[in-house]
Amino acid sequence: MAPKRSILTRYAWLSVITAIGVLALKLGAWWLTGSVGLLSDALETCTNLGGALMALLMLRLAAQPPDEEHAYGHSKAEYFSSGFEGMLIFVAAAVIAVQALPRLLAPRALEQPGVGLAAAALATVANFAVARLLDRAGREHGSVSLSADARHLMADVWTTLGVIAGVGLVALTGWLWL
């Protein structure tokens, strides 16, 4: 494996490990609070993990040297990774809608919102830090996979901040419909 590609797969591994940790934090936040908002945020994090795993696979494939069928190498494999992440986001949105609609019709009070929100905030800080690192590495090394993964993680940061705000407002106001 070329040195550049070896470095890129290390970044992809960082993304995979972070996604697993963030998923655990967000599932914990949901378990502590019972918030469907935090559950949907955790479900969306599954797309981060799937995207990171696909990026890792495509970076490994792209690292292979040219062969008879691919005279210019396998670097285009990275584009499959970015497209796969987009498809995962679409699927997650559908699953989240299916999960959220029944709770909207029959809201329930939150349990332990402070601890749950702290776990979600910690997950957001981790995603933000890794997104910045992946973005810099993607630009520095011209990696479509790392850049797509960074953008996906930043989108997750923003959505998690929205969920934290919504769950925080429910905890403060008692307005379960939020």
Side-chain angles (χ1 to χ4, degrees):
M1 187 179 303
K4 176 184 173 187
R5 291 294 171 181
S6 176
I7 291 168
L8 296 181
T9 56
R10 287 183 190 156
Y11 284 110
W13 273 113
L14 173 64
S15 185
V16 168
I17 291 164
T18 302
I20 291 169
V22 165
L23 180 59
L25 285 167
K26 289 183 178 182
L27 285 173
W30 163 69
W31 184 75
L32 288 166
T33 64
S35 165
V36 74
L38 289 169
L39 173 60
S40 68
D41 198 32
L43 290 174
E44 198 283 327
T45 299
C46 292
T47 68
N48 294 356
L49 179 56
L53 287 168
M54 179 59 101
L56 177 63
L57 291 172
M58 291 301 104
L59 285 167
R60 291 181 60 85
L61 179 62
Q64 293 180 0
D67 56 30
E68 288 182 25
E69 293 181 28
H70 305 92
Y72 297 102
H74 298 84
S75 63
K76 299 292 183 201
E78 284 196 58
Y79 290 99
F80 288 107
S81 174
S82 61
F84 182 74
E85 287 210 40
M87 189 250 340
L88 285 176
I89 292 168
F90 178 77
V91 170
V95 171
I96 289 166
V98 167
Q99 292 292 319
L101 189 58
R103 185 63 71 88
L104 183 62
L105 299 173
R108 286 190 285 184
L110 298 176
E111 305 169 24
Q112 303 183 51
V115 179
L117 291 175
L122 181 60
T124 301
V125 169
N127 268 344
F128 180 79
V130 172
R132 299 288 297 173
L133 188 64
L134 292 178
D135 186 51
R136 187 170 16 116
R139 281 186 280 115
E140 182 180 319
H141 298 287
S143 171
V144 173
S145 294
L146 293 181
S147 293
D149 203 14
R151 285 180 179 80
H152 187 176
L153 287 179
M154 279 308 294
D156 190 51
V157 166
W158 288 109
T159 57
T160 302
L161 288 173
V163 169
I164 289 170
V167 172
L169 283 171
V170 169
L172 289 174
T173 66
W175 297 343
L176 300 180
W177 58 269
L178 283 175

